Amino acid sequence: MSAWGIRSRLTASAVATLAVSLALTGCQQNGTNAGANSPAGDHVAANNGAADSPDSSAAPAASIVANVHSAAKNVPVDTPVKLSVKHGKLTDVTFTAHGSKKPIRGSFNSDKTAWTAGSLLEPATTYVVKSSATNTDGKVSTTRTRFTTQDLSLDQQTYPTLTPLSKEVVGVGMPVIVKFDIPVKHRAAFERHMTVTSKPATQGSWHWISDQEVHWRPKSFWKSGTKVHVDVNVNGVSAGNGVYGQTSRTLNFTVGRSVIMKINLKTDQMRVLLNHHLARTIPVTGGQPGLETRSGIKLIVEKFTSIRMDGATVGFAPGSANYYDIPDVQYAQRVTFSGEFLHAAPWSTYAQGSYNVSHGCVGMSTENAAWLFGITHRGDPVEVTGSNRGIEPNNGWTDWDQSFKQYKQASALN
């Protein structure tokens, strides 16, 4: 969950419910019983040195009420803790979890008659809220509320994983990707707690791939040098079906220089645009008839200086006509999950720039592949035209293979 309450799914351990048994004290004024117990907390009113004798003209004491009763147990973790006051104004609120010395932040309303905690709650945790308020005569009332939250198993908590990596330099097409290990039914509730901000400011939208994956992309490619901040503030937010966000996470990354690859499979040429200027034209070969390279806008997903490519992993049986097993393919850059790469193919230089002989990858000379590998980042766009085979949705990061109008229709808040 949060920095002081997170429980890793990788090290799941049972957390015993904390039992709390507290006796409530009555409101007191100079040691004299002034009223009945309040279910919302333990109240004490101080008169700041005023006389003990009754004064019919005195203003009523400030009365502080919490939305969680003192000694409450099994309080839902998505409860926003709130305080309100009658006949006065709040002067101080301290909200802490048992065992933590760091207060949980909150905010007052404009006239300080209400306070709301700035974050939701951790499971199986005891909290204490201490507050004070003054009435119009300056008399101080205080309250102390102690409660315990519900326990949750790891199957009742969903953990977010973010892409790209923290401080990574990415390509101009890079989407923000959030994956959850437990499905999210309440997509809109989660989306309201997820934000992407940038310098310069950039318009964009969330797009749900499934109940366990959501992307955010800008309306147009990022500008080079953009600084991006992602805040996935879902800790304690209800995901539906009794599941809650396990933790909140943030991410910062930077957009690198613009590198856009434009591949024409009819001419077998790749034009590489560096900062919107043609840097190199590379002869290539794409997929042969029946194994055509997919057309569409793809993104570089991952990079390998060397990788083994075994045809069995993409459905070619050993011994078949299309089977291959190459132990050391150099400068390979993945663009689809199904196995398309840009890579060095010294065995097909005879065809590069002339016709297509590969099993679906885009091959080039080792020298060109090394140069390209050295300037690209994850998220750089690869725009492929010239084949009659289109890219399947989500076969790779296909966020740009539809208009922004279409893309944002998959937002839960659209």
Side-chain angles (χ1 to χ4, degrees):
M1 306 285 289
S2 68
W4 42 264
I6 186 169
R7 299 185 300 154
S8 170
R9 185 168 304 278
L10 296 176
T11 57
S13 59
V15 179
T17 302
L18 302 176
V20 180
S21 177
L22 298 172
L24 304 181
T25 59
C27 295
Q28 296 180 355
Q29 186 168 342
N30 271 5
T32 304
N33 188 14
N37 292 342
S38 165
D42 308 327
H43 299 269
V44 178
N47 63 8
N48 291 340
D52 290 342
S53 57
D55 184 353
S56 60
S57 65
S63 175
I64 305 169
V65 178
N67 67 328
V68 181
H69 289 185
S70 195
K73 300 178 181 179
N74 297 317
V75 175
V77 295
D78 62 342
T79 301
V81 175
K82 298 180 180 181
L83 300 176
S84 60
V85 63
K86 293 182 179 180
H87 311 304
K89 294 185 178 182
L90 291 164
T91 54
D92 184 64
V93 177
T94 303
F95 183 28
T96 56
H98 179 72
S100 174
K101 296 181 180 179
K102 184 178 180 180
I104 299 166
R105 294 181 180 181
S107 59
F108 296 95
N109 66 350
S110 59
D111 60 3
K112 301 195 77 170
T113 58
W115 178 91
T116 303
S119 59
L120 300 178
L121 307 172
E122 304 295 328
T125 302
T126 297
Y127 290 91
V128 176
V129 187
K130 299 178 181 179
S131 59
S132 60
T134 57
N135 69 356
T136 54
D137 289 343
K139 293 181 180 180
V140 178
S141 297
T142 63
T143 188
R144 180 179 183 275
T145 300
R146 183 181 172 104
F147 63 89
T148 302
T149 56
Q150 67 187 124
D151 193 9
L152 295 173
S153 69
L154 292 177
D155 288 339
Q156 293 174 296
Q157 301 174 74
T158 186
Y159 183 85
T161 301
L162 277 55
T163 301
L165 301 174
S166 177
K167 299 182 181 179
E168 183 175 354
V169 178
V170 304
V172 296
M174 185 73 206
V176 175
I177 300 171
V178 184
K179 293 183 178 181
F180 300 98
D181 59 347
I182 302 293
V184 174
K185 180 180 179 181
H186 294 166
R187 294 182 180 184
F190 265 49
E191 194 171 322
R192 290 188 186 97
H193 287 82
M194 301 188 301
T195 58
V196 177
T197 54
S198 66
K199 293 182 180 180
T202 307
Q203 181 184 358
S205 174
W206 289 104
H207 175 101
W208 287 84
I209 305 296
S210 69
D211 285 347
Q212 291 184 249
E213 183 172 352
V214 58
H215 293 199
W216 190 99
R217 58 153 267 205
K219 183 177 181 180
S220 303
F221 289 152
W222 297 103
K223 291 182 179 179
S224 297
T226 300
K227 305 291 184 181
V228 184
H229 175 74
V230 182
D231 188 359
V232 180
N233 186 24
V234 297
N235 183 49
V237 176
S238 172
N241 296 328
V243 175
Y244 298 86
Q246 186 183 3
T247 190
S248 292
R249 301 195 62 192
T250 60
L251 168 68
N252 294 288
F253 63 90
T254 303
V255 180
R257 60 184 177 179
S258 175
V259 180
I260 299 175
M261 290 145 279
K262 294 179 178 288
I263 300 171
N264 186 332
L265 294 173
K266 290 189 178 299
T267 63
D268 288 314
Q269 302 291 326
M270 176 197 296
R271 298 171 64 243
V272 182
L273 304 181
L274 184 59
N275 290 330
H276 309 290
H277 298 285
L278 181 63
R280 184 176 292 198
T281 300
I282 297 175
V284 297
T285 184
Q288 60 189 279
L291 298 172
E292 290 88 351
T293 303
R294 296 164 176 83
S295 289
I297 302 176
K298 311 166 191 177
L299 299 175
I300 294 175
V301 174
E302 53 186 343
K303 301 175 60 171
F304 304 90
T305 54
S306 177
I307 188 174
R308 179 179 181 179
M309 291 190 175
D310 184 348
T313 63
V314 291
F316 300 125
S320 66
N322 287 317
Y323 179 71
Y324 56 88
D325 187 0
I326 308 172
D328 186 22
V329 178
Q330 294 183 301
Y331 306 115
Q333 304 189 69
R334 180 188 291 275
V335 293
T336 73
F337 297 146
S338 61
E340 284 187 17
F341 287 79
L342 313 179
H343 64 76
W347 54 85
S348 65
T349 53
Y350 69 92
Q352 293 164 16
S354 300
Y355 51 98
N356 298 312
V357 298
S358 82
H359 292 75
C361 293
V362 173
M364 65 201 81
S365 71
T366 301
E367 186 273 333
N368 279 327
W371 174 82
L372 187 65
F373 191 93
I375 67 170
T376 58
H377 297 99
R378 292 203 303 166
D380 279 330
V382 181
E383 302 178 8
V384 181
T385 59
S387 82
N388 57 9
R389 183 185 187 187
I391 183 72
E392 304 88 350
N394 308 315
N395 183 8
W397 297 337
T398 58
D399 301 73
W400 296 95
D401 208 49
Q402 55 185 302
S403 70
F404 184 65
K405 181 179 180 180
Q406 293 171 319
Y407 188 84
K408 65 183 181 179
Q409 288 176 355
S411 163
L413 301 180
N414 183 42

